[in-house]
Amino acid sequence: MNEEIKQRLQKKEIWQRGFYMILFMCIYGFSNFLIVSIFFFQYVTLILTGQTNVLLLGFSKNLGAYIHQIIIFLSFNNDQRPFPFSAWPNGTSDIEPIRDTKTN
């Protein structure tokens, strides 16, 4: 059993995945701060002008899809790394979760 763990620890892919997970956890934290800031800005804009900022609507929709892609990656539901390693999302998260067909 210990030999199997040693072999897994020597795999480059496992360490790369760990590095990308730490990177995307940081990006996720910043993205959440940004989306909350947009929420408040849109609310203030609605109060002051009576309408929301149209440009921010599109950006926040894409940012929400990006956050979804990060969560899917971090939770091991998909191996595809989000932006900047793939295209910026266009309003919807087009990454489908990995379906594990193994039985336990």
Side-chain angles (χ1 to χ4, degrees):
M1 183 77 149
N2 287 339
E3 189 62 36
E4 291 177 23
I5 293 173
K6 284 182 183 179
Q7 288 177 350
R8 278 187 229 123
L9 284 173
Q10 293 175 348
K11 288 186 178 181
K12 182 177 130 181
E13 296 83 21
I14 290 177
W15 292 102
Q16 282 180 334
R17 174 75 185 213
F19 170 76
Y20 287 122
M21 289 181 72
I22 291 169
L23 173 69
F24 282 111
M25 281 188 281
C26 295
I27 294 171
Y28 174 79
F30 178 73
S31 298
N32 270 338
F33 169 77
L34 190 58
I35 200 86
V36 169
S37 299
I38 292 171
F39 295 160
F40 287 117
F41 182 81
Q42 287 285 51
Y43 186 69
V44 170
T45 302
L46 180 64
I47 290 171
L48 296 177
T49 67
Q51 56 190 357
T52 56
N53 185 311
V54 177
L55 296 175
L56 275 180
L57 288 176
F59 176 73
S60 61
K61 185 176 183 180
N62 293 343
L63 184 59
Y66 180 59
I67 291 171
H68 180 255
Q69 288 178 355
I70 291 174
I71 292 170
I72 294 295
F73 176 76
L74 289 177
S75 62
F76 287 85
N77 283 294
N78 196 299
D79 289 330
Q80 182 180 352
R81 294 183 300 257
F83 179 83
F85 301 98
S86 61
W88 179 256
N90 189 13
T92 60
S93 181
D94 51 353
I95 293 181
E96 291 296 321
I98 296 174
R99 302 285 185 231
D100 189 8
T101 56
K102 297 178 190 173
T103 56
N104 293 339

